[in-house]
Amino acid sequence: MTPNPRQLALLQAVQDQGSVMLDDLSAKLGVSLQTVRRDVQRLADEGLLARFHGGVRVAGSTVENIAHGQRQTLHADGKARIAQAVAREVPNDCSLILNIGTTTEAIAQALLRHTGLRVITNNLNVALILSANPQCEVIVAGGVLRGRDRGVVGEAAIDFIRQFKVDIALVGISGIEADGTLRDYDYREVKVSQAIMAHAREVWLAADHSKFNRPAMVEVARLSGIDRLFTDAPVPEPFPALLHQAQVRCHVAS
């Protein structure tokens, strides 16, 4: 199909936000909910969008993430705001673990002026960024290097991380589904992330708005497994109730 101007505007709105509720699209486009539903169905039939209950998201695979270079530019402003919000909450003289992801790389950039940090990471991009901070000791996990994003995965990385108990784990995620599960794509990466979360006194999740209602194949944890969530926009339904139930403190970066 060739989308009409209204459908193109709908596609752009979803692309900008990652996922949008149908009611919000109706208000944004100034058309009836019935019209939005009809447009969404047509676009979903063409594989241009993916529907979920009450909303719509960017179409994508549940088994493979988009390329690292694309993720670096996608929602970069939101990730930068999240990173600054996280950095404001991280005290000097503490221990951290940062996992794989472009959001954790943005957080590393925001931590360059901190002092007395001891950082463990399985993300070589994070290690390279923080190596520019002379007041930060960086410890890199060994294991299998994933060339496409310089992430370190595998059993050796898990065994290495299990030696430590840090103050805060700063973790990114590929998707948060409406059942409260945190999900990612690579089973080997998930196992390392699970070890990271298990070996921290607090777990802080950094996820921009596009991660809500985004599916991925492998479950990492549930919302009850984190202490704080940092995001860049008010969270959509049904997540406010899920966060409250899980007693997760939510920070919306302005």
Side-chain angles (χ1 to χ4, degrees):
M1 67 176 289
T2 301
N4 62 37
R6 185 185 64 246
Q7 291 165 345
L8 287 173
L10 191 156
L11 283 169
Q12 186 61 56
V14 177
Q15 182 63 46
D16 289 344
Q17 298 186 50
S19 64
V20 192
M21 303 306 291
L22 297 184
D23 288 341
D24 294 337
L25 279 173
S26 175
K28 182 178 180 65
L29 299 175
V31 297
S32 69
L33 188 58
Q34 183 179 7
T35 297
V36 167
R37 288 195 179 112
R38 185 167 58 247
D39 284 346
V40 163
Q41 186 60 58
R42 288 174 179 170
L43 294 167
D45 289 344
E46 294 293 324
L48 299 173
L49 294 175
R51 300 191 67 174
F52 60 87
H53 181 67
V56 64
R57 60 173 176 80
V58 175
S61 171
T62 63
V63 299
E64 185 176 2
N65 206 351
I66 60 178
H68 180 264
Q70 290 177 289
R71 286 186 283 124
Q72 283 182 310
T73 58
L74 194 62
H75 310 300
D77 290 344
K79 291 174 184 177
R81 295 200 309 274
I82 292 169
Q84 291 299 325
V86 170
R88 286 193 293 269
E89 297 293 320
V90 172
N92 292 319
D93 304 305
C94 74
S95 56
L96 308 169
I97 302 182
L98 278 72
N99 73 344
I100 300 170
T102 55
T103 306
T104 51
E105 291 164 20
I107 291 171
Q109 191 70 40
L111 292 173
L112 285 176
R113 294 188 178 182
H114 276 57
T115 61
L117 296 182
R118 179 167 292 181
V119 178
I120 302 159
T121 186
N122 66 322
N123 184 336
L124 294 191
N125 295 318
V126 164
L128 181 61
I129 292 166
L130 286 174
S131 68
N133 181 352
Q135 300 296 317
C136 177
E137 180 180 76
V138 181
I139 305 167
V140 182
V144 178
L145 178 63
R146 200 169 62 184
R148 66 178 182 269
D149 60 2
R150 300 188 181 94
V152 179
V153 296
E155 290 299 321
I158 295 169
D159 290 342
F160 182 83
I161 287 164
R162 284 174 176 162
Q163 300 177 77
F164 302 93
K165 188 76 170 184
V166 301
D167 297 319
I168 306 166
L170 302 175
V171 298
I173 200 72
S174 289
I176 309 172
E177 294 209 39
D179 62 356
T181 55
L182 313 178
R183 294 188 169 272
D184 227 310
Y185 296 91
D186 187 332
Y187 179 76
R188 298 176 303 166
E189 178 181 348
V190 165
K191 298 298 286 184
V192 180
S193 292
Q194 289 171 338
I196 287 171
M197 295 172 71
H199 288 79
R201 295 177 180 88
E202 288 194 24
V203 178
W204 298 5
L205 176 66
D208 69 74
H209 63 273
S210 71
K211 304 301 173 62
F212 293 95
N213 289 305
R214 184 185 183 200
M217 188 173 69
V218 190
E219 180 176 335
V220 181
R222 303 191 71 84
L223 284 173
S224 57
I226 66 173
D227 298 286
R228 300 199 198 186
L229 168 67
F230 293 79
T231 188
D232 61 334
V235 297
E237 296 294 342
F239 297 100
L242 293 175
L243 291 168
H244 178 74
Q245 183 179 7
Q247 298 183 323
V248 176
R249 182 178 173 187
C250 184
H251 304 253
V252 180
S254 57

